[in-house]
Amino acid sequence: MPIEQKIATHFDQAATMYNREAIVQKQIAQKLVAWAAGQTSATPRAILDIGCGTGFVTEAIQQQWPDATLTALDQSSAMLPEAQEKILNLQTIQGDAV
């Protein structure tokens, strides 16, 4: 099995508990989006979150730019429904960004 597939399988298996266990990732996501917002005066209309996982960054993006159309990409098919639970009308793509 290729390493990429092993990684996706690992994240698939962890998806249901990831939100509960990944507290540091959620804090970093909020800080990252706040930093990005401070770097621009533009108001984006569409945003792609590459490697969205369960949607910590995507959720912070929605709070920062609520009118933007959000699309989330992740290799793990099990992570995407977790992100969709956080963000209404989230467009998702299951795949690799490579």
Side-chain angles (χ1 to χ4, degrees):
M1 176 183 300
I3 188 68
E4 294 84 4
Q5 191 174 4
K6 287 180 183 180
I7 292 168
T9 299
H10 175 74
F11 277 105
D12 283 346
Q13 293 168 348
T16 57
M17 64 180 169
Y18 192 85
N19 288 325
R20 186 178 61 240
E21 302 294 328
I23 297 164
V24 171
Q25 287 84 341
K26 184 173 184 173
Q27 293 170 346
I28 296 300
Q30 293 167 344
K31 289 180 181 184
L32 175 66
V33 172
W35 174 84
Q39 300 303 304
T40 182
S41 61
T43 302
R45 291 183 286 163
I47 301 169
L48 172 63
D49 183 358
I50 299 172
C52 70
T54 62
F56 290 140
V57 170
T58 317
E59 184 177 33
I61 288 169
Q62 183 188 45
Q63 292 169 359
Q64 183 66 44
W65 295 289
D67 295 328
T69 300
L70 302 178
T71 303
L73 175 126
D74 202 278
Q75 188 174 7
S76 168
S77 60
M79 290 281 185
L80 295 172
E82 298 290 327
Q84 286 176 312
E85 285 187 25
K86 292 181 179 124
I87 299 115
L88 295 176
N89 301 315
L90 177 65
Q91 300 173 40
T92 60
I93 302 169
Q94 195 270 319
D96 195 349
V98 175

